[in-house]
């Protein structure tokens, strides 16, 4: 028999309570940074949606953050995101999934089953694959055009000038809604300078698709610069969940 009384919290309950407290503290810190950045930019904090990027972290963290009021979650690999979304589906939490990573066309069918927003649309072949996948799943996917702010396609994205062409293709594809633009700050460039073209990118997309309203930009290290540049959605991993361990693929 265990000497521990069954009325005491076991190690897993204690661990869960400690993790919940840590996530609550981190969340308060991130919300304070968003509020301060909005105040500095003369914007309403209600204009900025926080997306918790939970890659490498377990579904239990998603559910804890959901209990703390986070509704939007981001993942960058389908192999990890699909089972995590399934694990959270029965929890009764209002969760929206954002796919933020580079996406292979052969993963479009899987992503379309759980994602609400795909942030990384940067080629016509992917538009067609996502459209077919959304229709097959009977779902509507909001899609953002990923723009490359330094012209280096290594981390995905089209040149800003090509964004309207992708938006037109999205608008023509039943099942897909052009939602706006997404960017990752290039390495070795000040974030404020990198993000400066994003408002004009969204305006160019809105010229072909007036319903588009999203600028997805800003991560743990540069959310203030992104909010200054007009971000409506910030994608925060490390500052909320902690440092990720290097992932063995
Ligand atoms: C991992 C990731 C993030 C979050 O980055 P942090 O620096 O941990 O906040 C945001 N966007 C994308 C596309 C990511 O892959």
């Amino acid at each position: 028999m265990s000497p521990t009384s069954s009325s005491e919290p076991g190690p897993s309950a204690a661990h869960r309570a400690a993790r919940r407290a840590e996530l609550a503290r981190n969340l308060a810190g991130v919300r304070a940074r968003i509020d301060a950045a909005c105040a500095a930019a003369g914007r309403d904090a209600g204009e900025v949606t926080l997306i918790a990027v939970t890659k490498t972290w377990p579904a239990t963290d998603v559910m804890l953050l959901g209990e703390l009021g986070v509704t939007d979650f981001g993942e960058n690999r389908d192999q990890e995101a699909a089972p995590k979304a399934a694990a959270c589906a029965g929890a009764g939490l209002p969760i929206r999934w954002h796919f933020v990573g580079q996406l292979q066309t052969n993963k479009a069918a899987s992503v379309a089953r759980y994602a609400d927003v795909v942030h990384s649309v940067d080629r016509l072949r992917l538009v067609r694959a996502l459209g077919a996948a959304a229709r097959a799943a009977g779902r509507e996917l909001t899609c953002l055009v990923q723009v490359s702010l330094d012209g280096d396609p290594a981390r995905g994205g089209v040149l800003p000038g090509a964004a309207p062409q992708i938006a037109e293709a999205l608008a023509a594809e039943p099942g897909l809604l052009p939602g706006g633009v997404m960017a990752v700050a290039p390495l070795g460039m000040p974030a404020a300078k990198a993000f400066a073209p994003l408002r004009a990118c969204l305006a160019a997309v809105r010229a072909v698709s007036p319903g588009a309203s999203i600028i997805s930009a800003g991560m743990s290290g540069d959310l203030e610069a992104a909010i200054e540049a007009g971000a409506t959605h910030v994608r925060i991993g490390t500052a909320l969940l902690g440092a990720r361990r290097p992932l063995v693929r």
Side-chain angles (χ1 to χ4, degrees):
M1 290 289 280
S2 158
T4 309
S5 149
S6 62
S7 63
E8 277 175 34
S12 70
H15 181 266
R16 185 178 184 281
R19 181 60 168 158
R20 189 180 209 279
E22 180 182 22
L23 291 174
R25 210 163 46 238
N26 292 348
L27 178 59
V30 168
R31 292 224 191 268
R33 282 178 63 189
I34 292 172
D35 289 353
C38 285
R43 300 181 57 198
D44 188 317
E47 294 170 24
V48 177
T49 299
L50 168 63
I51 302 172
V53 179
T54 46
K55 63 190 185 197
T56 79
W57 299 101
T60 48
D61 281 347
V62 174
M63 291 186 259
L64 287 171
L65 283 167
E67 289 167 22
L68 292 166
V70 177
T71 52
D72 290 79
F73 294 87
E75 289 284 334
N76 71 339
R77 294 171 67 233
D78 176 62
Q79 304 92 296
E80 179 183 354
K84 206 179 288 184
C88 297
L93 293 163
I95 291 179
R96 291 166 53 83
W97 288 101
H98 297 251
F99 192 87
V100 303
Q102 283 182 266
L103 181 53
Q104 304 301 314
T105 51
N106 64 358
K107 299 283 195 249
S110 175
V111 167
R113 281 185 218 114
Y114 58 84
D116 299 288
V117 187
V118 178
H119 289 230
S120 45
V121 180
D122 61 359
R123 53 202 196 280
L124 297 174
R125 215 163 85 80
L126 181 57
V127 172
R128 288 190 290 270
L130 283 169
R135 293 190 295 276
R139 301 190 70 235
E140 208 154 65
L141 286 183
T142 295
C143 291
L144 310 185
V145 182
Q146 183 175 352
V147 293
S148 167
L149 296 173
D150 63 355
D152 174 3
R155 288 193 294 169
V158 295
L159 292 178
Q165 189 200 351
I166 303 284
E168 259 167 36
L170 288 170
E173 198 69 45
L176 304 185
L177 297 172
V181 296
M182 177 270 208
V184 177
L187 298 170
M189 193 183 201
K193 181 169 177 238
F195 289 145
L198 284 176
R199 279 196 178 94
C201 288
L202 178 63
V205 164
R206 283 172 66 86
V208 300
S209 192
S213 61
I214 294 174
I215 295 178
S216 165
M219 316 201 314
S220 293
D222 55 23
L223 75 86
E224 287 83 2
I227 287 173
E228 171 71 35
T232 61
H233 290 62
V234 294
R235 310 179 306 266
I236 309 299
T238 309
L240 273 179
L241 292 128
R244 291 179 291 275
R245 297 219 188 87
L247 200 63
V248 180
R249 300 199 179 191

